[in-house]
Amino acid sequence: SLTAGRLAAELEESTERMSSLVGAVKSYAYMDRGELVEVDLHEGLETTLTVLGFKLKQTTIAVVRDYDRTLPKLTVRGSELNQVWTNLLDNAIAALGEEGTITIATRADGNCAVIEITDDGPGIPDDVAEQIFDPFFTTKGVGHGTGLGLATARRIIVDRHNGSLTLDTEPGRTTFRVRLPFTQA
């Protein structure tokens, strides 16, 4: 009776996790359409965290959310934006390794939303930071990176959404800052 109860509880928990992941993947790809859609910025960030949850689960990395929930929805190409969050968060996880803190902050600045993804890892050396957005530039070993993630993120933010993607780094703190207009032309 106890074994059956434990198995039922495990099955229920597994089903809830699978349902959550399937929902996240559907939401993550909600936008296999390339047109402009209105999106909740925080929902996209949370969905990306869910999709990357398997990487975080194997670490003691803490994720701190400092969201301005009063931000209006953004008119963007949603699936493209999810690629940006995936690249930035995946790089932050890789920079930290097994432990550390990733802080995701959102706020308004005039007619733009500002999204900051900060990690408390080792920082990025100046010579690397100068090339970080260049296509095919990678600090990862062979087979672990193509050098296209940050170049793609920058192209999506700057060229496709009329925003900006910048980097501030020093030992113990690296911040990628995304500025996006609330509406697109």
Side-chain angles (χ1 to χ4, degrees):
S1 173
L2 291 173
T3 302
R6 272 184 280 160
L7 286 174
E10 285 179 29
L11 182 60
E12 182 179 358
E13 181 184 336
S14 296
T15 303
E16 287 175 12
R17 281 197 316 253
M18 284 189 299
S19 177
S20 173
L21 186 56
V22 168
V25 169
K26 284 173 76 176
S27 178
Y28 184 84
Y30 62 98
M31 324 174 243
D32 45 357
R33 355 174 244 246
E35 74 258 11
L36 293 170
V37 293
E38 252 190 16
V39 299
D40 179 330
L41 173 66
H42 304 108
E43 184 179 304
L45 289 164
E46 288 300 314
T47 297
T48 303
L49 285 169
T50 300
V51 170
L52 291 174
F54 75 97
K55 286 189 173 191
L56 288 168
K57 192 173 190 172
Q58 300 170 11
T59 70
T60 58
I61 294 173
V63 177
V64 176
R65 295 154 175 90
D66 183 12
Y67 293 163
D68 177 354
R69 293 288 188 173
T70 66
L71 287 178
K73 289 187 174 188
L74 280 80
T75 303
V76 294
R77 290 170 177 82
S79 62
E80 293 181 7
L81 217 52
N82 283 343
Q83 289 178 36
V84 172
W85 309 145
T86 300
N87 283 314
L88 296 178
L89 288 165
D90 187 51
N91 283 349
I93 293 166
L96 291 175
E98 295 297 315
E99 62 183 0
T101 302
I102 296 172
T103 303
I104 307 169
T106 62
R107 61 183 165 82
D109 184 17
N111 64 346
C112 289
V114 177
I115 304 91
E116 295 176 336
I117 297 177
T118 303
D119 69 67
D120 60 0
I124 301 171
D126 290 341
D127 61 325
V128 173
E130 291 172 5
Q131 303 174 71
I132 203 86
F133 296 112
D134 292 349
F136 304 109
F137 178 80
T138 183
T139 58
K140 297 175 182 169
V142 174
H144 294 283
T146 61
L148 293 174
L150 291 175
T152 299
R154 186 176 188 289
R155 182 183 53 78
I156 289 169
I157 295 299
V158 175
D159 298 341
R160 303 275 292 161
H161 289 91
N162 304 308
S164 65
L165 173 57
T166 57
L167 166 69
D168 292 323
T169 187
E170 61 187 44
R173 190 182 138 285
T174 297
T175 300
F176 283 91
R177 184 172 297 109
V178 175
R179 291 180 56 85
L180 287 168
F182 286 114
T183 57
Q184 296 294 311

